[in-house]
C-alpha cells in the first residue's frame, strides 16, 4: 500500500490496513433475530435458492481493507460511537506512521544508505537496499525518535475527516435501506445486490477521499522535506496558505485522480472476485465452505491491493512533484505534466512497484541508485 491512506486501505491490511470497522455488507447480519426464534423461521419455497446454484452467506464489505472506520452508531449512542471510531483510527494511524513515512521516502527514490551484498534463495549474489528497520534507525540518527512522526498531524486530521464523512453519509443514506446478499438469492439477484452494495461503498469512499485529500497532500509534503532538509511546510494552516498562494485551489488536489481510480478498481475487483469465487468455486457440500467464504474477501483484498499499488505510488509522487521541494524535482524526479506522464515514466523505468516491499529490497535494473 502506499502512502495512502492507507486507506486502503487498508486499509485487515493498510488499512491498518484495511485494516477497522465493518462494511456495508456486514449490516445484513446485525439485524437478524437471535436464538430459537431466528432458527424456527424457514423461508417460503418461492424464496429458496436454486438447487443448482446455492448462494453463499453475506460477506463483509471490502472497503474496510483500506483502514476506513465502520459506520457510527445510531440513536443516543451515535456521537459516542463516532468518537470511538475516530479515537481508534487515530491510534492505528499514529502506530503505523513510521511505516508509511519510510515507504514514502522510498517511493520518491531517496536512498541515503548504500546497498549491501547478499545472496538470494538460488545462492546468487545480489545487492539489497536497506530494509524498513535499517531505514528507520537512520531517520532516528538524523532527527531523533520524534522524527519518525514527521507529518503525523495532517494525516491524523485527514483520517478523522474521512471517518466523520463516512459516518455522516451513512446517516443521510442509511445502508439498511439496501438489500443484502443472502444465501436464498438466485445467481442474477445476488449479483445485482453485490453491484448495488459496491456502488454504495464507492460513493462513500470517493466523497471522503476528495474531502480529505488536501490534508493528505500536506502530510506527504511535510514528510518528504526530510530529503532536502527543508522547512517549507511546517503547520497545517501555514501549509494551506503556501499551497493556495503558489498553486491555487488545484494544488490541494494533485494526485487525486490516481488515488480515486485505485479505490474504485480495488472495491469492484475485490467484491466481484469474492462473489464469483464463493458462487462458483466453493461447494456447499464441502464441510469448511462457510469458513472459506468468510476469508475469501480478505484474501481477495490483499491480492487486488497489490495490483492497484501503482495507482497509490503515482498519486503520492504527484502530490509532491514540482512543489518546491528537492524530493519532487530532478534528479529525484522529473517534472511531470500529468499523472499519466508519471505512470509512463515509472513503467519505462520498471519502477511501478517501488516501495511496495519494505523488507527484502533488491537493487533493480531501473533503480536510480548509483554505486560509488
Amino acid at each position: 500500500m502506499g502512502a495512502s491512506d492507507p486507506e486502503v486501505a487498508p486499509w485487515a491490511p493498510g488499512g491498518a490496513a484495511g485494516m477497522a470497522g465493518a462494511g456495508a455488507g456486514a449490516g445484513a447480519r446485525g439485524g437478524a433475530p437471535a436464538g430459537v426464534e431466528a432458527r424456527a423461521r424457514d423461508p417460503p419455497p418461492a424464496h429458496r435458492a436454486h438447487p443448482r446454484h446455492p448462494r453463499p452467506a453475506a460477506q463483509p464489505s471490502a472497503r474496510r481493507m483500506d483502514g476506513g472506520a465502520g459506520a457510527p452508531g445510531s440513536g443516543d449512542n451515535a456521537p459516542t460511537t463516532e468518537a470511538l471510531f475516530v479515537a481508534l483510527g487515530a491510534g492505528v494511524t499514529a502506530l503505523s506512521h513510521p511505516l508509511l513515512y519510510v515507504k514514502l521516502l522510498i517511493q520518491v527514490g531517496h536512498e541515503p544508505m548504500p546497498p549491501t551484498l547478499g545472496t538470494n534463495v538460488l545462492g546468487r549474489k545480489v545487492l539489497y537496499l536497506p530494509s524498513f528497520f535499517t531505514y528507520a534507525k537512520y531517520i532516528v540518527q538524523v532527527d531523533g525518535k520524534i522524527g519518525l512522526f514527521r507529518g503525523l498531524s495532517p494525516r491524523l486530521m485527514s483520517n478523522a475527516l474521512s471517518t466523520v464523512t463516512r459516518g455522516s453519509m451513512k446517516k443521510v443514506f442509511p445502508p439498511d435501506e439496501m438489500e443484502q446478499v443472502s444465501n436464498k438469492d438466485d445467481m442474477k439477484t445476488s449479483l445485482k445486490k453485490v453491484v448495488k452494495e459496491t456502488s454504495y461503498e464507492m460513493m462513500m469512499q470517493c466523497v471522503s477521499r476528495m474531502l480529505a485529500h488536501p490534508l493528505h497532500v500536506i502530510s506527504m509534503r511535510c514528510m518528504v522535506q526530510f530529503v532536502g532538509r527543508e522547512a517549507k511546510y511546517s503547520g497545517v494552516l501555514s501549509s494551506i496558505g503556501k499551497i493556495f498562494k503558489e498553486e491555487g485551489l488545484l494544488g490541494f488536489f494533485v494526485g487525486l485522480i490516481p488515488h480515486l481510480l485505485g479505490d474504485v478498481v480495488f472495491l469492484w475487483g475485490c467484491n466481484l472476485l469474492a462473489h464469483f469465487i464463493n458462487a462458483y468455486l466453493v461447494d456447499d457440500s464441502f464441510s469448511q465452505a462457510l469458513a472459506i467464504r468468510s476469508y475469501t474477501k480478505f484474501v481477495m483484498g490483499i491480492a487486488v491491493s497489490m495490483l492497484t499499488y501503482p495507482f497509490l505510488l503515482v498519486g503520492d509522487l504527484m502530490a509532491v512533484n514540482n512543489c518546491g521541494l528537492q524530493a519532487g524535482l530532478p534528479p529525484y524526479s522529473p517534472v511531470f505534466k500529468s499523472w499519466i506522464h508519471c505512470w509512463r515514466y515509472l513503467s519505462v523505468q520498471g519502477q511501478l512497484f517501488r516501495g511496495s516491499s519494505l523488507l527484502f529490497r533488491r537493487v533493480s535494473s531501473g533503480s536510480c541508485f548509483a554505486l560509488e
Side-chain angles (χ1 to χ4, degrees):
M1 64 189 77
S4 165
D5 14 327
E7 290 145 50
V8 146
W11 48 116
M19 308 169 210
R29 295 187 295 270
V36 178
E37 179 182 356
R39 293 192 295 269
R41 296 180 180 177
D42 290 327
H47 297 284
R48 294 187 182 275
H50 194 285
R52 304 171 73 180
H53 299 289
R55 301 305 309 150
Q59 294 282 329
S61 167
R63 180 62 215 129
R64 301 283 69 81
M65 297 293 295
D66 71 348
S74 58
D76 296 337
N77 295 328
T80 304
T81 306
E82 186 168 341
L84 178 61
F85 275 114
V86 172
L88 290 175
V92 173
T93 299
L95 291 175
S96 64
H97 188 76
L99 186 69
L100 182 141
Y101 184 22
V102 171
K103 172 175 285 197
L104 179 63
L105 294 179
I106 294 173
Q107 286 178 332
V108 299
H110 184 54
E111 300 291 352
M113 294 168 287
T116 57
L117 187 64
T119 57
N120 59 14
V121 292
L122 299 178
R124 300 175 58 181
K125 293 183 178 181
V126 293
L127 289 176
Y128 286 100
L129 291 167
S131 66
F132 161 75
F133 300 102
T134 305
Y135 211 128
K137 289 180 180 178
Y138 173 79
I139 295 176
V140 172
Q141 292 175 358
V142 176
D143 283 344
K145 293 182 179 179
I146 195 67
L148 288 172
F149 298 93
R150 181 195 293 260
L152 176 60
S153 296
R155 186 167 172 239
L156 287 173
M157 296 172 64
S158 174
N159 287 5
L161 179 60
S162 179
T163 300
V164 172
T165 300
R166 288 196 186 96
S168 300
M169 292 188 65
K170 283 181 179 290
K171 294 176 183 177
V172 178
F173 306 102
D176 294 337
E177 296 178 1
M178 300 169 49
E179 294 182 279
Q180 305 298 331
V181 178
S182 169
N183 57 356
K184 305 177 185 65
D185 296 327
D186 58 28
M187 192 67 61
K188 186 176 180 179
T189 302
S190 63
L191 180 58
K192 286 183 178 180
K193 291 183 179 180
V194 169
V195 170
K196 188 175 181 179
E197 176 187 335
T198 306
S199 300
Y200 176 82
E201 296 176 15
M202 181 181 67
M203 174 194 66
M204 285 203 308
Q205 174 60 17
C206 289
V207 172
S208 62
R209 170 74 73 177
M210 287 187 290
L211 293 178
H213 191 75
L215 291 168
H216 174 76
V217 171
I218 294 174
S219 178
M220 297 293 103
R221 295 185 180 185
C222 287
M223 285 187 274
V224 299
Q225 288 182 136
F226 178 84
V227 175
R229 311 306 299 163
E230 299 106 335
K232 181 178 180 180
Y233 300 95
S234 53
V236 174
L237 294 179
S238 61
S239 298
I240 291 175
K242 285 185 176 68
I243 294 176
F244 185 77
K245 182 179 180 181
E246 297 177 3
E247 304 172 50
L249 190 60
L250 294 179
F252 295 103
F253 298 96
V254 288
L256 174 62
I257 294 179
H259 273 298
L260 287 176
L261 290 176
D263 290 340
V264 171
V265 172
F266 173 84
L267 281 171
W268 285 99
C270 182
N271 285 357
L272 291 179
L273 282 175
H275 171 73
F276 287 120
I277 287 176
N278 287 338
Y280 292 102
L281 300 183
V282 181
D283 194 337
D284 278 349
S285 62
F286 184 54
S287 60
Q288 301 298 323
L290 290 178
I292 293 177
R293 284 168 178 159
S294 65
Y295 286 101
T296 301
K297 194 157 288 186
F298 175 78
V299 175
M300 289 300 99
I302 296 176
V304 176
S305 66
M306 293 175 63
L307 297 177
T308 57
Y309 179 81
F311 291 100
L312 177 68
L313 173 62
V314 171
D316 288 343
L317 291 182
M318 290 303 298
V320 302
N321 189 251
N322 195 27
C323 65
L325 300 178
Q326 185 176 332
L329 295 170
Y332 284 96
S333 170
V335 176
F336 298 117
K337 299 177 181 178
S338 67
W339 71 271
I340 298 178
H341 179 201
C342 178
W343 184 293
R344 290 175 177 173
Y345 173 81
L346 293 173
S347 179
V348 171
Q349 298 292 322
Q351 297 288 305
L352 275 175
F353 290 88
R354 184 170 66 193
S356 59
S357 175
L358 297 179
L359 294 179
F360 303 102
R361 304 173 51 228
R362 291 179 52 183
V363 177
S364 63
S365 58
S367 175
C368 60
F369 190 90
L371 292 177
E372 298 181 355

